[in-house]
Amino acid sequence: MTSGDAFDSTLTRVIPSRRRRRIGEYLWVFLLGFSIVLILAMLGVILGDVIIHGAGHVSWTFITESPRQGLAEGGIYPAIIGTTFLVLLMTIAAVPLGVATAVYLHEYTPAETPKQAWSRFRTAEGADRRKLFGTVVLSLLAKVTRSAVANLAGVPSIVFGLFGLGFFIQFVGGTMDRLTQPAGEIVWGQGNLLWAALTLALLTLPTVIVATEEALRTVPADQRAASIALGATRWETIRRIVLPGALPGILPGAILAISRGAGEVAPILFTGAAYYLPFLPESLSSQFMHLGYHVLILSTQSPDVEATKPVLYGTVFVLLILTFLLNLTGVLIRARTRTKLRSGS
Amino acid sequence: MTKSVRQEPEPAPKIEVTGFNFFYGELHVLHDIVMDIPEKQVTAFIGPSGCGKSTFLRSINRMNDIIPGARARGAITLDGQDLYAKSIDVVALRRKVGMVFQKSNPFPKSVYENVAYGLRIGGVNDRNVLDEVVERSLQRAALWNEVKDRLNTSAMALSGGQQQRLCIARALAVDPEVLLMDEPASALDPIATQKIEELVYELKSNYTIVIVTHNMQQAARVSDRTAFFMLGKLVEYDDTNTIFMNPKQKLTEDYITGRFG
Amino acid sequence: MTVPGKANLARGVRGRFIRDRLMTSVFTGAGWFAILFITLIFAFTFREAMPIFTDPEVAREANLHEFFVKQLEGERMEQRFVWQPVGDIPKFSFVPLILGTLKATFVGLLVACPLGVAAALFSSEFAPPRLREWIKPMIELLAGIPSVVLGFFALMVLGTWLQEAFGFTYRLNAWNAGIALGIALLPVVFTISEDGMSSVPRYYREGSLALGASRFQTAWKVVLPAALPAVFASFVLAFGRAIGETMILLMAGGNAAITSWSLGDPLRTLSATIAAELGEVVFGDPHYSALFFIGTLLFVITFISNSAGQWFIGRMQRRMQGES
Ligand SMILES: Nc1ncnc2c1ncn2[C@@H]1O[C@H](COP(=O)(O)OP(=O)(O)O)[C@@H](O)[C@H]1O
Ligand SMILES: [Mg+2]
């Protein structure tokens, strides 16, 4: 390409290189798209493997009978019931408290940043000063709580298990036993349904709080103002305007948090899950079987892996169905409100 | 447009404002406001934007209470009762002094539930009472004929002008005595604006109305009295005719003739 | 005091007023209760680890020197850092556990970061909207797989496949555990990166396209750099998640607390150690305190990495708000 004409030479230099670049770009975009394919393939392989080996083993007897023959035969009824109880208790403990905490943070603590409140406090005088000090403290508290909650959402679940053992079992349960069991019997000072549920509730609490506060933020301020201008108290505004408006955001957030809690095993390892119980939990102080824990036991403690494999796959299948149903509900609700919001605006 | 010269004696003031000051934190936005707002008449607030009209309006039903750092000094009385006294129940106050906002803000509920909202929070759940009040309020807001067949559809589906009249109906449903309107027509097209103006004219036989507007013709058309604000001060307050035909202050005249603002 | 027929503004609606006050107390109470528990989580995890500093009995066997520094003497000793908490002379070296954690985290991030960012870039810049509406729920579905299931899959299936394909000596090793971990981290990297990329204002792209840049150049040279804080955040948060992930590593890591740099060797992470041993430990034992100290360590590391991640996310939001 050594043409004497300068104009010609730039042309010939530019055109092929641009075409080459185009092809290179298509390759890159193809690679990016391929990464999606790869991820979806992973999902497909895992689900496919579980469905192929697990679905066939799930039968009426499998989900209604207790394990037999050292877990290698029979069903997983106690684990299904145990998981259900656990998730219900966890939900009862986590969702109302999480929603209430988010409402407190968003609707009751000062909207100002601590910095703004502090600068007002410094210039205020007289009676205002004491009130403003409260504002400064509360807005600081809200800020610290928010960041603690956001960070807690990422603290490993095994740490929650440690906390459950150290706090609920040793401290609370131990104290309860000391006060109520003169004979020194251990009733509450060991793992049980209640402690496991509370541990899981603490694990899901930050997720519920964060999702709820995010949903509260989407309720327009002018709707709050309209309600207040009509003579509604703060509580009436929250109950009739804010919470209904935020519900489409709270619901999927809470359901996704519950679904995550339903699949967690690390927090219940030491707080109440049992290896094998032929009976169902009778009270809050009973131990319980759990689908996820059962998967762990079957795949790591089984003396004969091949013999327990069908039960293992069946259990994984049931666990996945449970968490996916919860997950799917949350994802669908969220997708529906998203499209609704888009078409509404 | 002609306006009959009033022969009747000055009506009793519904709202009396004396030495009223307002602060957002350090920002002093209203300075020593003094004015009487007459009963069952329309009083318009005009002035360049940022001069404190909305702030003053919101002080009359204490909507500013919810803004952090907001402080009021001086007195506003409604029927002789100091609105900033300790004994005042702001909830009761806001039911007596209704408010319509610049941007229409219906709740994402049905037309019916929007209007019934104020009654429901007041504990009224009797369907007959609600039906009656909803119909009456919508009629007063000149909206009944347009929505009577779709009371149960979402208020969000109404047009902008209809939404604003719905907000007026919603405010009327709790039976207020004073109606505060903050540029209620500024986001509407001319036809919807005209409807609102006609409505204001109708309503004044029953309600004391205070309306903020940036539209001088609107003030001239709908109001009996006009207050001109600038930089947080009440510059001039008089009969609307006087303000527009024969202002006493140079500032007022400049503003009205469009020399600034 | 009030004239009849005139507005009565004295406090009237007692019931509503009281209910409002009551609900204020309820919400305040709930808020403080939750705050109390959050504080307790910090306090109690630390409290149970404290004896290694305060109790001389415990501190004799389990202390910082033992955890991080001490090596066993002897020429023919293959393993110089040893975690062997049960025995006549318990040995509490964290070094093999830390190494195991780092190896698994390394492989996990190696899988998740490039794949997650590439997928996010594709989804936000090249995927047609219809496809995008499918990708996101699919990734959420992936995020919804409990980690015990991923651990199970790596243990029962993936390990064998990898061994057959690459001829590893050990079926359970850092590659196996790390890849399963990577699957768990993928949704974290994808979601946060994608959020960041989608929050880049449209005029950024339009400006670039108007200058004659191709879509790929725009994605690569404009969107990705603008979304860099979010991408960083996703890496940091994935790191935090990897450090703390337990079940996958417990099941698929091979459970061998050995000091080895090889990714083909089995491993034992800090988190898996707690899970494996806390069940059998004697309360108040040096071993018990050592496990809680590991928990404290995990807590502090993840807390710091999460704060960093949140900071990057906040930076991303400020950047996009400040400029859009
Ligand atoms: N919530 C607020 N916080 C601080 N300053 C405010 C607030 N609302 C209004 N202001 C300020 O008070 C002044 C008056 O505002 P406003 O009453 O809205 O004026 P107008 O309605 O006449 O346009 C303006 O300078 C405005 O910036
Ligand atoms: Mg205004």
Side-chain angles (χ1 to χ4, degrees), chain A residues 27 44 49-50 179 192 196 202 210 223 231 239 247 295 300 312 326:
Chain A
L27 203 69
D49 182 61
V50 173
L179 296 178
N192 63 35
L202 276 181
V210 170
Q223 284 179 12
R239 189 170 87 92
L247 196 64
V295 170
T300 58
L312 172 55
L326 281 169

Side-chain angles (χ1 to χ4, degrees), chain B residues 129-143:
Chain B
V129 178
L130 288 178
D131 284 350
E132 193 189 315
V133 175
V134 167
E135 177 172 349
R136 190 177 62 221
S137 309
L138 284 169
Q139 256 160 0
R140 284 194 181 166
L143 189 60

Side-chain angles (χ1 to χ4, degrees), chain B residues 22-25 27-30 45-58 64 67-70 102 182-183 212 229 232:
Chain B
F22 197 89
F23 308 80
Y24 289 115
L27 192 65
H28 194 170
V29 291
L30 291 173
F45 293 173
I46 60 171
S49 77
C51 67
K53 307 179 295 289
S54 299
T55 301
F56 185 39
L57 197 73
R58 293 159 58 90
N64 287 326
I67 295 171
Q102 177 169 1
D182 193 349
E183 306 195 23
V212 173
F229 289 86

Side-chain angles (χ1 to χ4, degrees), chain C residues 163 167-171 173 264-265:
Chain C
Q163 195 177 28
F168 293 127
T169 319
Y170 303 96
R171 198 171 64 89
N173 55 41
D265 282 341

Side-chain angles (χ1 to χ4, degrees), chain B residues 110-249:
Chain B
S110 68
V111 171
Y112 186 97
E113 286 304 323
N114 261 280
V115 183
Y117 183 81
L119 293 175
R120 286 208 192 270
I121 56 172
V124 180
N125 279 310
D126 182 337
R127 193 76 198 185
N128 294 328
V129 178
L130 288 178
D131 284 350
E132 193 189 315
V133 175
V134 167
E135 177 172 349
R136 190 177 62 221
S137 309
L138 284 169
Q139 256 160 0
R140 284 194 181 166
L143 189 60
W144 174 249
N145 287 331
E146 291 161 59
V147 300
K148 64 172 181 253
D149 297 323
R150 43 174 175 160
L151 290 176
N152 292 317
T153 57
S154 169
M156 297 308 200
L158 300 180
S159 73
Q162 288 173 328
Q163 284 190 7
Q164 194 59 298
R165 276 177 287 146
L166 179 68
C167 291
I168 295 173
R170 183 174 67 182
L172 296 180
V174 292
D175 203 18
E177 293 167 12
V178 179
L179 205 52
L180 309 175
M181 303 177 135
D182 193 349
E183 306 195 23
S186 67
L188 302 180
D189 61 69
I191 293 177
T193 301
Q194 195 193 342
K195 284 205 171 129
I196 300 275
E197 286 180 13
E198 284 164 6
L199 179 58
V200 169
Y201 194 79
E202 304 255 309
L203 289 173
K204 80 170 176 182
S205 51
N206 288 307
Y207 304 92
T208 304
I209 295 177
V210 186
I211 184 168
V212 173
T213 175
H214 63 256
N215 177 333
M216 237 78 64
Q217 287 78 27
Q218 188 170 69
R221 282 193 298 264
V222 302
S223 69
D224 302 293
R225 309 262 302 162
T226 295
F228 171 56
F229 289 86
M230 216 173 112
L231 297 173
K233 295 201 171 80
L234 177 57
V235 177
E236 191 169 354
Y237 177 45
D238 212 324
D239 280 352
T240 299
N241 283 337
T242 316
I243 292 274
F244 282 92
M245 304 300 182
N246 192 14
K248 294 188 181 59
Q249 305 285 332

Side-chain angles (χ1 to χ4, degrees), chain A residues 170, chain C residues 277-289:
Chain A
Q170 308 273 60
Chain C
E277 295 174 5
L278 195 63
E280 274 99 56
V281 80
V282 179
F283 298 127
D285 215 43
H287 188 192
Y288 177 82
S289 294

